Structure formats: structure tokens, C-alpha cells
Amino acid sequence: MLTPQELETLLGLLKEANKPFENIAQSFYKSFPKSEQFKVGCVICMLLQDQLLTQTQRLVGFYILYDVYRNETLPTTPFVPIVLATVERTADAVERKFLLQ
């Protein structure tokens, strides 16, 4: 789905734990044009579902998924199902609280 360079860029963004979420999102928008954001969101979902990210990386990933579609109505947001599934099954209290905001 992503080129090796795009995946490297995405993983680098997910590792930026010392920056505010808003800054990471801005870097995301600079790195990936609007036409590529859904594809990148799908890769974030795969990484989340396969438990391949640390807790901090997961929070950054969920924030990016939220931010990309923050101006959309809930029914048109494609990544709501993964958020709901995560809220239902996560044992991580921090992650659950973050997702329920």
C-alpha cells in the first residue's frame, strides 16, 4: 500500500512522542497529500489492529485518524469502526480514556 519511503515517514511521525498532537498532524499533512491520506489511514489501522505500535504510537495514530476527518460527520468517517472496536476491547485505561474524549 505504501512505498518503503512513505512507510518510513509514517513510522517516524508515529514515534514523535515529544511533540504536541497538533504539530504531528501538521507534519502528517505536509508529508502526505489529501489524495493519499485515506491510504495512509488504512495503514495506521493495520498497525493498530495488529498491535505493532507502542502505547504512545497508538495514541498518535488515533489522533491522526481523528484529525484527518475531524470536519466530517460521524457516518462519513471511515475509521470509526476501529475506534469503537478498540474502546470495547482495550485493557489500557489511558487508551480508552483518550478514545472516549
Side-chain angles (χ1 to χ4, degrees):
M1 290 189 88
L2 296 181
T3 67
Q5 182 180 0
E6 290 171 327
L7 183 58
E8 185 178 327
T9 299
L10 174 60
L11 293 174
L13 289 170
L14 294 173
K15 291 177 183 176
E16 293 187 358
N18 59 341
K19 292 185 179 179
F21 287 129
E22 295 83 7
N23 292 6
I24 297 169
Q26 289 307 310
S27 295
F28 175 83
Y29 296 128
K30 289 177 185 173
S31 300
F32 299 102
K34 182 86 170 149
S35 61
E36 298 292 313
Q37 291 172 6
F38 176 76
K39 178 174 71 170
V40 178
C42 290
V43 172
I44 292 172
C45 286
M46 284 189 267
L47 294 169
L48 291 166
Q49 289 175 323
D50 292 345
Q51 301 289 319
L52 297 174
L53 303 174
T54 66
Q55 180 193 51
T56 304
Q57 291 170 333
R58 289 177 64 80
L59 297 180
V60 171
F62 280 120
Y63 184 82
I64 290 171
L65 294 178
Y66 155 77
D67 200 63
V68 168
Y69 291 96
R70 74 175 181 270
N71 294 322
E72 302 286 326
T73 61
L74 196 59
T76 61
T77 305
F79 302 115
V80 168
I82 186 169
V83 172
L84 295 176
T86 303
V87 167
E88 289 179 359
R89 75 171 188 267
T90 188
D92 185 330
V94 172
E95 185 173 87
R96 178 185 301 272
K97 187 173 182 177
F98 180 82
L99 293 173
L100 290 173
Q101 293 183 39

